[in-house]
Amino acid sequence: MRDWATVPELGQAIRMVDRLALEAKVAQEGLILTEAQVAAYPTDLSRKYDLGKKYFHLGRYEDAIGLFQKAQEDLKQRAKVLNYLGLSFGNIGWHDEAIQTIRQALEAHQD
């Protein structure tokens, strides 16, 4: 019986799958940790922003929108939050809201 892991292309594919599985596990653990931090510190707007970004990158735009809407009150991060909020609106097809929010992000960035 042949050991398919010794075939160079297959061995490389197996290593890639293993690496991707590990990365997915680490990402999931990071998401769970950030969700727990938001629950533990409900007034910490920077944690809401961080969780919103994670949801955004997972394609969970509606979940991200709720967090970004709260996190925009943090004046230090307002421009970045509004940018992600506008992109989230665009990704769910709310183009007018996306345009308006990205304009607000540009104005906040100039301040």
Side-chain angles (χ1 to χ4, degrees), residues 17-78:
V17 168
D18 287 345
R19 182 178 53 86
L20 290 173
L22 179 61
E23 287 176 6
K25 181 180 178 191
V26 169
Q28 181 64 29
E29 289 171 356
L31 179 64
I32 291 168
L33 175 63
T34 307
E35 288 172 333
Q37 290 172 338
V38 168
Y41 303 98
T43 60
D44 187 337
L45 299 177
S46 66
R47 292 178 198 265
K48 290 183 188 304
Y49 171 62
D50 291 340
L51 182 56
K53 286 192 309 184
K54 289 180 183 193
Y55 284 159
F56 176 88
H57 291 293
L58 290 171
R60 294 175 56 181
Y61 304 115
E62 291 180 6
D63 292 327
I65 287 170
L67 291 163
F68 292 143
Q69 287 175 327
K70 294 173 185 169
Q72 70 179 313
E73 300 304 319
D74 182 355
L75 298 179
K76 294 178 290 187
Q77 299 189 89
R78 185 168 168 78

Side-chain angles (χ1 to χ4, degrees), residues 56 61 82-92 98 102:
F56 176 88
Y61 304 115
L82 288 170
N83 183 57
Y84 270 107
L85 180 58
L87 293 173
S88 297
F89 282 143
N91 279 311
I92 63 168
I102 290 173

